[in-house]
Amino acid sequence: MVAHGDSSSSEKKLGNGLNDLPTFNAENLQQNMKTIHYSRTFMSIIGGVVAGIFGFTGLKGFVLYFLVMAFTSIGLMAKAKFSVHSYFDSWNRVLLDGLFGGLMSFVLFWTFAYDIVHIF
Amino acid sequence: MGLGFAIGVFGVLILFHAAYATIQYRGLLKITEEEFSGPPMNVVAELLLGLFFCMWAALAVPGKFLSIHPDSEENRIVSLPANLDFMIFNHRGKVFPGQMDLKLRH
């Protein structure tokens, strides 16, 4: 195997025997978080465009957003083969991360698509 | 990953087509002076199809999940970081002549 450089590719969080903190590979965890962030952002944008084309105004659009996010969460679970603990350290990360950041992108593209399709 | 990306592009194209169809439908409604209540059924089907393709691409394109267990197969540490304590200099290189008279090439 090629020798790795000083920046170790697997920094670990170690715990002593008494407290028994969970040890995991932090760099891979970060990579996984980036992956789900990309997925959620892309789906927020696509959901916004779909909401605009449908012509939803008001609460119906937000309902669509949470539906799309729920399906994305299910898809991410399936991608992780439902064994969340071998890829993430808690369920909340997979389910809730990026939910409200995506809301901004959703509203932006929702208004954009609505304007293009229904107003101009 | 190439296939996932192609499916994503295809899904976005389907969405654009659905948008264009909706614009045309609204133009038609303006002529007949009716209210817009919702896109026609085939546009709805197209939107759902495009949404499905884009969701597939959103899950397939960003890359696999990497395991975070430190003792799983693909996370093995097989090399030591460069550390002077482990470098060996007592090898056969010491029989080479000490001074080299060659200049460095530019």
Side-chain angles (χ1 to χ4, degrees):
Chain A
M1 278 283 186
V2 181
H4 287 285
D6 288 343
S7 62
S8 66
S9 60
S10 60
E11 305 169 34
K12 295 186 175 175
K13 249 176 38 171
L14 293 177
N16 45 9
L18 288 176
N19 290 344
D20 197 25
L21 286 176
T23 70
F24 52 82
N25 185 337
E27 176 179 325
N28 281 355
L29 179 69
Q30 252 188 346
Q31 181 64 30
N32 294 346
M33 298 301 290
K34 266 203 317 196
T35 302
I36 64 174
H37 182 72
Y38 287 162
S39 292
R40 279 200 195 277
T41 308
F42 181 63
M43 282 317 297
S44 302
I45 293 175
I46 296 295
V49 172
V50 168
I53 296 176
F54 262 121
F56 288 151
T57 56
L59 219 50
K60 279 202 284 192
F62 291 104
V63 167
L64 178 71
Y65 172 68
F66 284 114
L67 263 178
V68 166
M69 282 294 115
F71 276 113
T72 307
S73 293
I74 294 176
L76 286 169
M77 289 281 148
K79 183 176 179 178
K81 301 186 200 56
F82 294 105
S83 67
V84 167
H85 289 291
S86 55
Y87 300 110
F88 297 95
D89 56 348
S90 79
W91 283 91
N92 286 342
R93 286 193 188 266
V94 185
L95 296 176
L96 300 179
D97 182 68
L99 200 64
F100 289 103
L103 191 61
M104 309 280 190
S105 309
F106 172 81
V107 170
L108 177 68
F109 279 89
W110 178 18
T111 51
F112 185 54
Y114 187 89
D115 287 346
I116 288 185
V117 172
H118 295 281
I119 297 183
F120 292 120
Chain B
M1 174 169 148
L3 177 67
F5 191 69
I7 289 181
V9 169
F10 190 55
V12 171
L13 286 178
I14 289 179
L15 288 182
F16 281 164
H17 181 260
Y20 188 66
T22 310
I23 294 174
Q24 279 189 323
Y25 178 69
R26 278 190 72 99
L28 182 68
L29 286 184
K30 274 205 194 82
I31 296 176
T32 62
E33 294 193 0
E34 288 171 13
E35 280 292 315
F36 177 82
S37 63
M41 279 314 293
N42 57 340
V43 173
V44 171
E46 215 173 339
L47 281 174
L48 291 177
L49 190 66
L51 196 63
F52 175 70
F53 280 159
C54 287
M55 185 159 312
W56 181 280
L59 294 174
V61 168
K64 288 169 53 71
F65 283 147
L66 302 171
S67 167
I68 64 169
H69 285 313
D71 47 356
S72 75
E73 263 310 300
E74 66 261 14
N75 278 348
R76 300 186 56 198
I77 306 174
V78 292
S79 67
L80 295 167
N83 188 349
L84 211 55
D85 290 341
F86 295 102
M87 291 184 185
I88 300 172
F89 296 107
N90 186 22
H91 53 73
R92 291 178 291 179
K94 66 185 169 190
V95 301
F96 276 123
Q99 282 281 60
M100 300 286 269
D101 292 337
L102 301 169
K103 289 207 181 112
L104 288 173
R105 274 198 218 148
H106 288 282

